[in-house]
Amino acid sequence: MFSGAIDHVEGEPATGDLVTVVARDGAFLARAGYSPQSQIRARVWSFDPARTVDAAFLRERLATSIARRDAVPKGSNAMRLVHGESDGLPGLVADRYGDVIVVQILSAAAERWRKFWGPALQELTGARAVYERSDVEVRALEGLPSQVGPLVGAAPGAVKIEEDGIAYEVDVAAGQKTGFYLDQRENRALAGTLASGADVLNGFCYTGGFSLAALKAGAKQVTSLDTSEEALAAARRNVEINSLDDSRADWVAADVFAYLRRLRDQNKRYGLIVLDPPKFAPTEKHVPNAARAYKDINLWAMKLLAPGGHLLTFSCSGAITPDLFQKIVAGAAADAKVDLQVRRHLGAALDHPSSIHFPEGEYLKGLWLQAS
Ligand code: SAH
């Protein structure tokens, strides 16, 4: 509920307090957590006038979220258990990595219940540890400090997970996000189905997700780019723990924008290219620059596609709509003078649902394109 939608506040609710939201005529609208410092002034816990928001209510929401993951195929022991607003728990993210759960507390409303989440999640899942990674910029907008450390049990260190037959070591304490990009699980599997015998280029590879899927599927050669040396070192370790043939894998510390041009100068061609960049548009005001950046990398990647080659291209910027993303990519194809088929629209994996009332939750979009 944005600040501009609020006519007036009665009483003096403190940060995280439970407030009742009413219409001008006094009709009940919602119960919400109050956040005086944030432009998102209140986060809705419930639209049900008959329910108050207490530990029993939140426990029920957690249990429902976890049960919703029964629909997720059993090929992985790592998945998102709670996806914030989309699971009716605004500002709370909980990711499971084997028997460790990593939590992000992102709103004043969720912060109010900070002592509750760790023990409740442990009780509901049997996890050995619950670790907090609330070191994200959005907390500052809520007037909350960055916070990292164990909530339950000891600090877990590196955690080994398995996803569709591939093992990954996840650094939950220092890795990006909560340690791994769980949202790309299904798209990594798709990359595997396209990689056999192909020369593969994986821009923005992080700890090797798409690259390992391609190697495992029998790619001829996989070139992976990232600017983070730590990420590349972790990716190499992941090749090792899976006993995959590292002679088929090149790991390059490079800026994708510059390196794609270099590959073009070298006349390289690839049967599969993956572009999964970081969030170029964290907010609305970044959209014009982000659009230029998305267009640039897609244009150069398209020039590197072999005949019949596949491009899996993504944007995880909430402010870039799927429609706009497709327009940007179409513009890139026109300028690259490449004819492409849209084989499928792609999104986040099944453990990242989005509420129909919260389209912003649908942040990850992608296109599977194939060159003629
Ligand atoms: N596809 C990955 C996740 C990618 S996250 C997976 O499935 O796990 C985005 C990555 O891009 C991060 O690892 C970040 O270090 C890297 N990155 C950011 N800017 C970059 C740039 N200009 N060139 C290369 N890598 C970059």
Side-chain angles (χ1 to χ4, degrees), residues 335-347:
D335 284 7
K337 298 189 171 49
V338 176
D339 192 21
L340 294 163
Q341 253 63 52
V342 179
R343 295 293 302 265
R344 192 173 288 169
H345 289 89
L346 305 172

Side-chain angles (χ1 to χ4, degrees), residues 31-78:
R31 286 195 210 291
Y34 190 61
S35 186
Q37 294 204 27
S38 173
Q39 283 310 310
I40 306 175
R41 196 59 49 87
R43 308 256 183 163
V44 173
W45 287 120
S46 164
F47 295 108
D48 181 355
R51 299 265 345 223
T52 188
V53 177
D54 54 14
F57 171 89
L58 296 173
R59 204 175 177 286
E60 199 180 297
R61 281 274 161 98
L62 283 177
T64 306
S65 294
I66 293 165
R68 204 167 275 139
R69 273 65 189 177
D70 286 348
V72 178
K74 301 285 173 251
S76 176
N77 65 352

